[in-house]
């Protein structure tokens, strides 16, 4: 172990090289105007080829809108002494867009190394390139150790996580369910804290709604001739946010934040000019609800609130679910959680904290297969924002932690 940990400490330069080469290949979904993961995957496969895996293959999803006409998914395995089960490290290659460029202090798609020689800035360095780096460094460490681990080490580098997994994990589950063995275990480093203390074992259910408010378009100087869909939609958004938060207000300290969340998010453009009263207005809400509430209950409440707006503003309100994921939890006493907690104490030198979160990682799908998954890593937890950053030393600790788990799994 000590020898392996020593080797890991020497990998900072390689971690930086990997991060640099990923950051300049922005893998943004074609759904939001990007080219997809093709270039990034090509680069990563070249790096994976340098490691003596026993299996290395693709399960690419066809997608005409993406560069290369595919959304790549790369799978690699290094066999253990017991080949019947695998500890999988799952990471996603895609990143979200940079957002408002004026808020960035550096070019988001050109990695910047801080003068402390440890902090790095760039879109994706935390979400989820750190996990990609951790997976590659772990495999390199194990393969170069000259010893077979107790069980297989597997790596999945997947596409399309930020936009719903259709071409990534969901495609893999549909096309190659045989990859997921009945005794397999999963570490997903897509959530975490700077001390590496948190072990995420449960996620809230994710519900995304699209609301369409239809009124009547007219000139803004004669509003009496129309029905203002934007005004009705604004009122609907406020009533929904307040109404849902008040109705579904249970607290649970396992989760952070400790309540179900209901957030107004995306808005579609309505009219192109200021002097038109919009006849249609479309907005979205992101809801993360505790497993104790059903989506039917939430939809019933939405229906009631929508009725009040229809009555008050004489408009029509329709809504639909655009995302609906419910998730089981991984039991706290599962061997994976125990080994991970032990690793947190040994490597990060802190007392582990078992938590639930708002959701949105691969873990939901894995847990719904009845397989154990833990989510954790040493990160600042600043995904999707401007000036996304992490530390190279964080990923080295993550690698040590995974190696510890792999060699201590019973
Ligand atoms: Zn992510």
């Amino acid at each position: 172990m000590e020898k392996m940990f020593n080797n890991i400490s020497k990998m900072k330069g390689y971690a930086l090289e990997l991060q640099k080469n990923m950051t300049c290949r922005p893998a943004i979904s074609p759904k939001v105007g990007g080219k997809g993961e093709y270039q990034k995957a090509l680069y990563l496969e070249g790096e994976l080829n340098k490691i003596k895996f026993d299996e290395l293959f693709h399960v690419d999803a066809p997608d005409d809108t993406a560069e290369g006409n595919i959304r790549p998914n790369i799978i690699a395995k290094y066999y253990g002494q017991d080949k019947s089960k695998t500890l999988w490290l799952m990471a996603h290659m895609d990143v979200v867009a940079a957002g408002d460029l004026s808020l960035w202090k550096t070019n988001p798609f050109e990695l910047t190394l801080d003068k402390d020689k440890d902090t790095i800035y760039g879109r994706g360095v935390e979400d989820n390139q750190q996990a990609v780096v951790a997976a590659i460094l772990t495999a390199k460490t194990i393969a170069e150790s000259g010893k077979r681990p107790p069980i297989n080490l597997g790596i999945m580098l997947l596409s399309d996580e930020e936009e719903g997994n259709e071409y990534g994990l969901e495609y893999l589950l549909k096309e190659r369910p045989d990859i997921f063995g009945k005794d397999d275990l999963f570490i997903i480093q897509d959530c975490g804290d700077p001390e590496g203390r948190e072990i995420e074992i449960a996620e809230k259910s994710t519900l995304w709604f699209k609301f369409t408010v239809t009124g009547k378009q007219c000139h803004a100087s004669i509003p009496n001739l129309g029905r203002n869909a934007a005004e009705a939609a604004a009122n609907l958004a406020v009533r929904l946010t307040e109404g849902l938060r008040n109705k579904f207000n249970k607290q649970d300290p396992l989760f952070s934040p400790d309540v179900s969340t209901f957030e107004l998010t995306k808005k579609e453009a309505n009219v192109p000019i200021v002097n038109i009263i919009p006849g249609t207005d479309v907005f979205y809400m992101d809801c993360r609800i505790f497993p104790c509430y059903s989506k039917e209950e939430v939809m019933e409440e939405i229906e009631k609130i929508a009725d009040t707006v229809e009555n008050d503003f004489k408009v029509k309100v329709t809504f639909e679910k655009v995302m609906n994921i419910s998730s089981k939890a991984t039991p706290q006493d599962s061997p994976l959680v125990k080994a991970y907690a032990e690793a947190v104490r040994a490597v990060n030198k802190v007392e582990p904290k078992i938590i639930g979160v708002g959701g949105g990682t691969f873990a939901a799908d894995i847990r719904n297969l009845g397989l154990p998954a833990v989510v954790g890593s040493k990160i600042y937890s600043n995904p999707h924002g401007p000036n996304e950053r992490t530390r190279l030393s964080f990923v080295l600790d993550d690698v040590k932690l995974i190696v510890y788990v792999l060699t201590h799994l019973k």
Side-chain angles (χ1 to χ4, degrees), residues 97-162:
D100 185 350
L101 282 176
S102 69
L103 298 174
W104 283 80
K105 293 192 196 98
T106 63
N107 178 350
F109 297 110
E110 190 186 312
L111 185 126
T112 306
L113 176 64
D114 196 86
K115 52 183 180 306
D116 68 1
K117 297 273 187 287
D118 194 29
T119 310
I120 51 174
Y121 295 87
R123 171 56 82 229
V125 293
E126 171 181 295
D127 182 16
N128 193 226
Q129 289 171 192
Q130 178 160 319
V132 174
V133 174
I136 293 174
L137 296 193
T138 303
K140 192 170 150 64
T141 305
I142 296 294
E144 286 173 1
S145 74
K147 271 206 199 144
R148 291 282 169 181
I151 61 169
N152 305 329
L153 173 70
I155 290 180
M156 293 185 189
L157 305 183
L158 307 182
S159 286
D160 199 28
E161 195 269 351
E162 299 290 0

Side-chain angles (χ1 to χ4, degrees), residues 3 12 14 17 58 70-71 89 113 144 164 208 289 300 308 316 350 355 360 371:
K3 208 176 140 208
K12 203 168 178 177
Y14 187 42
E17 184 191 319
H58 295 231
I70 53 160
R71 308 296 296 280
L89 308 176
L113 176 64
E144 286 173 1
W208 290 357
I289 60 171
E300 224 171 83
T308 67
K316 191 169 166 38
V350 288
I355 62 158
L371 300 173

Side-chain angles (χ1 to χ4, degrees), residues 274-295:
V274 179
N275 64 9
I276 301 174
I277 283 189
T280 309
D281 203 81
V282 177
F283 69 88
Y284 296 76
M285 279 186 83
D286 176 307
C287 312
R288 312 283 164 136
I289 60 171
F290 284 159
C292 64
Y293 298 124
S294 73
K295 61 172 185 287

Side-chain angles (χ1 to χ4, degrees), residues 214-245:
T214 313
K216 188 169 174 241
Q217 184 179 315
C218 69
H219 195 285
S221 65
I222 40 171
N224 49 307
L225 297 185
R227 267 163 288 136
N228 193 332
E231 184 185 350
N235 278 274
L236 177 62
V238 172
R239 290 183 194 182
L240 284 169
T241 307
E242 289 177 350
L244 295 170
R245 284 179 190 161

Side-chain angles (χ1 to χ4, degrees), residues 1 3-9 11 51 78 134-147 153 399-400 403:
M1 184 72 65
K3 208 176 140 208
M4 280 198 279
F5 276 20
N6 253 327
N7 287 339
I8 295 165
S9 300
M11 288 178 168
I51 300 168
Y78 187 79
I136 293 174
L137 296 193
T138 303
K140 192 170 150 64
T141 305
I142 296 294
E144 286 173 1
S145 74
K147 271 206 199 144
L153 173 70
V399 175
K400 287 175 189 168
V403 168

Side-chain angles (χ1 to χ4, degrees), residues 69-281:
N69 295 317
I70 53 160
R71 308 296 296 280
N73 296 296
I74 308 173
I75 291 100
K77 228 183 220 189
Y78 187 79
Y79 292 153
Q81 292 155 34
D82 173 2
K83 285 193 220 166
S84 73
K85 60 178 175 179
T86 303
L87 175 68
W88 288 102
L89 308 176
M90 295 178 80
H92 63 87
M93 295 183 283
D94 56 314
V95 298
V96 296
D100 185 350
L101 282 176
S102 69
L103 298 174
W104 283 80
K105 293 192 196 98
T106 63
N107 178 350
F109 297 110
E110 190 186 312
L111 185 126
T112 306
L113 176 64
D114 196 86
K115 52 183 180 306
D116 68 1
K117 297 273 187 287
D118 194 29
T119 310
I120 51 174
Y121 295 87
R123 171 56 82 229
V125 293
E126 171 181 295
D127 182 16
N128 193 226
Q129 289 171 192
Q130 178 160 319
V132 174
V133 174
I136 293 174
L137 296 193
T138 303
K140 192 170 150 64
T141 305
I142 296 294
E144 286 173 1
S145 74
K147 271 206 199 144
R148 291 282 169 181
I151 61 169
N152 305 329
L153 173 70
I155 290 180
M156 293 185 189
L157 305 183
L158 307 182
S159 286
D160 199 28
E161 195 269 351
E162 299 290 0
E163 291 293 323
N165 296 313
E166 182 188 351
Y167 299 97
L169 180 57
E170 275 178 19
Y171 185 81
L172 199 60
L173 286 167
K174 200 167 64 195
E175 293 297 312
R176 290 293 307 273
D178 57 294
I179 292 174
F180 300 82
K182 66 175 189 3
D183 297 317
D184 288 0
L185 315 122
F186 294 80
I187 292 179
I188 298 153
Q189 298 193 300
D190 204 4
C191 213
D193 61 296
E195 292 179 302
R197 189 188 287 278
E198 293 171 357
I199 307 176
E200 189 256 81
I201 58 155
E203 297 184 359
K204 296 172 193 169
S205 300
T206 303
L207 278 170
W208 290 357
F209 293 105
K210 175 185 181 181
F211 295 90
T212 305
V213 178
T214 313
K216 188 169 174 241
Q217 184 179 315
C218 69
H219 195 285
S221 65
I222 40 171
N224 49 307
L225 297 185
R227 267 163 288 136
N228 193 332
E231 184 185 350
N235 278 274
L236 177 62
V238 172
R239 290 183 194 182
L240 284 169
T241 307
E242 289 177 350
L244 295 170
R245 284 179 190 161
N246 284 337
K247 169 102 182 172
F248 304 100
N249 62 357
K250 257 181 219 148
Q251 282 174 282
D252 182 345
L254 176 72
F255 287 92
S256 166
D258 65 355
V259 287
S260 301
T261 57
F262 303 91
E263 295 297 318
L264 168 67
T265 56
K266 177 171 156 178
K267 265 190 67 63
E268 284 182 11
N270 46 30
V271 288
I273 325 175
V274 179
N275 64 9
I276 301 174
I277 283 189
T280 309
D281 203 81

